[in-house]
Amino acid sequence: MNNKEFISELSARMGYSASDTQRLVTNLVNAMSDGFLEDNAVMVPNFGTFEVKKKMERIMVNPSTGQRMLVPPKLVLGFKPSETWKNKLRQGGQE
């Protein structure tokens, strides 16, 4: 599902215009981004939790040359689904 399909489906379900729905989604993503920048986890009830994790500095080896390289620390975005979604996916979408 691409962004245009998502906006049209969401606007149909909510009864808002496509432009209002687009603004709503943009504001939601911006608010989540602000939370990530402040190093806060963002929990979406009955869906899951998004959180910024710090990956530590590590040494990796290039398999073709055998050269060792230092990979600097970095921040990555992680997602942990809620138990409801985990169970639903385990059952193949059946409730």
Side-chain angles (χ1 to χ4, degrees), residues 23-34:
R23 255 194 321 273
L24 174 87
V25 170
T26 300
N27 288 331
L28 174 69
V29 170
N30 289 340
M32 289 175 70
S33 298
D34 292 344

Side-chain angles (χ1 to χ4, degrees), residues 20-84:
D20 287 342
T21 306
Q22 179 66 51
R23 255 194 321 273
L24 174 87
V25 170
T26 300
N27 288 331
L28 174 69
V29 170
N30 289 340
M32 289 175 70
S33 298
D34 292 344
F36 299 145
L37 292 174
E38 295 171 2
D39 203 24
N40 296 329
V42 176
M43 188 184 115
V44 180
N46 297 321
F47 185 68
T49 304
F50 296 90
E51 64 181 333
V52 177
K53 296 179 182 179
K54 183 174 183 178
K55 287 204 149 197
M56 302 304 289
E57 181 177 70
R58 61 189 174 91
I59 297 174
M60 71 167 251
V61 178
N62 183 332
S64 61
T65 64
Q67 181 182 8
R68 298 169 66 89
M69 300 182 331
L70 187 64
V71 178
K74 63 181 177 178
L75 299 175
V76 294
L77 184 61
F79 174 71
K80 182 177 178 184
S82 70
E83 283 298 318
T84 305

